[in-house]
Amino acid sequence: MPSVTLRVLHGADRGKVYSAVPTPVTIGREEGNTIQLNDERISRYHLKLQADNQKIVLTDLDSTNGTKVNGEEIHVRILRDGDMIALGRSVLLVGSHSDIDRRIAEIASKDSGNGSERAKAMQRRLERAAEHHSDVIEDLGEARLPLLPGGPPPLPEHLSPAQSAELCELLDYVQAVLRETADGAVMRPGHEKVEIDFAPWQGLLDLQARLAELLRQIAEPPPD
């Protein structure tokens, strides 16, 4: 059964990750939904995700405030890894880190016929990954630009309440800047470009998702 992974970038549920949720999936503010979001601006049953011919189809359920995918108001849309869903005050990113990595690699591979240096470099990465029998490109971070070389640093341990608040303020600021960048971009159906190249765009969204997860870890530490 096809499934979908959703990461909450913005909203009251920021930082939550819904991994490999089997379809169909409904999202809204009522308890009966597959995914219940704490957002008074979304409808009781806001949207539905269902599988059709191995594709994930998003349908807006006549919600009051509507749904946007990649900055465009939609009613029905086929979703792809890396797409951004906006409903109410919440923003969701479709796909896991590896799902989005694979989509970037597929797009770069298709572009290899254009002879660009970036496409050729990506093709070499694909070949190296195949030699190691891996379905995930481990060095894809180079294609995303070094926003977070080697991944994010670990959280500091034994923070006081004041230190936690200060760190949250810092990460909130960084995430606000990233969200402003994302909100200003539009990706139209049938195109793989936004205002910037797709790989850096997804790198920005990936960084935003990682920061959201760190913020939730700080706000809700595991019990001792």
Side-chain angles (χ1 to χ4, degrees):
M1 178 182 298
S3 62
V4 63
T5 294
L6 299 168
R7 291 183 277 166
V8 184
L9 299 183
H10 191 76
D13 298 288
R14 180 181 63 187
K16 286 187 176 179
V17 179
Y18 302 93
S19 298
V21 183
T23 54
V25 176
T26 59
I27 300 176
R29 70 171 192 268
E30 287 285 305
E31 289 186 2
N33 288 280
T34 313
I35 296 176
Q36 181 186 15
L37 295 179
N38 182 22
D39 188 335
E40 74 279 3
R41 294 196 63 184
I42 69 174
S43 297
R44 294 169 59 245
Y45 292 89
H46 196 102
L47 62 85
K48 182 177 182 179
L49 306 178
Q50 55 191 342
D52 185 19
N53 292 324
Q54 301 303 310
K55 294 184 169 107
I56 303 297
V57 180
L58 182 154
T59 303
D60 181 89
L61 301 176
D62 295 323
S63 63
T64 302
N65 294 315
T67 302
K68 291 182 178 181
V69 174
N70 298 327
E72 287 194 318
E73 195 85 29
I74 61 94
H75 181 68
V76 177
R77 174 67 61 84
I78 293 176
L79 287 181
R80 297 169 178 83
D81 293 321
D83 283 348
M84 187 171 62
I85 305 169
L87 62 162
R89 292 189 173 92
S90 303
V91 179
L92 312 178
L93 179 63
V94 180
S96 65
H97 302 301
S98 59
D99 291 335
I100 294 173
D101 283 352
R102 278 190 284 269
R103 187 183 175 198
I104 294 172
E106 289 169 3
I107 291 169
S109 180
K110 290 176 183 177
D111 290 342
S112 62
N114 297 332
S116 68
E117 289 303 318
R118 175 177 288 183
K120 290 178 181 178
M122 181 59 74
Q123 185 62 37
R124 288 194 292 271
R125 292 188 181 97
L126 283 167
E127 292 170 355
R128 288 202 299 273
E131 290 173 359
H132 290 84
H133 307 288
S134 172
D135 62 346
V136 178
I137 300 175
E138 296 180 354
D139 63 348
L140 192 64
E142 297 176 15
R144 287 186 168 183
L145 303 182
L147 294 174
L148 278 177
L155 286 173
E157 297 181 355
H158 310 300
L159 291 175
S160 69
Q163 289 171 328
S164 294
E166 290 171 350
L167 183 57
C168 280
E169 286 182 356
L170 175 61
L171 295 180
D172 269 329
Y173 171 77
V174 175
Q175 202 210 24
V177 173
L178 293 173
R179 183 174 182 237
E180 184 177 356
T181 302
D183 285 347
V186 174
M187 187 167 65
R188 306 187 187 283
H191 295 271
E192 302 293 357
K193 296 288 185 179
V194 287
E195 297 297 330
I196 57 177
D197 289 343
F198 189 75
W201 161 252
Q202 291 302 327
L204 286 173
L205 290 181
D206 185 65
L207 174 59
Q208 189 179 7
R210 290 175 185 271
L211 287 172
E213 292 166 27
L214 291 177
L215 284 167
R216 179 160 290 276
Q217 290 177 34
I218 294 171
E220 299 179 3
D224 295 333

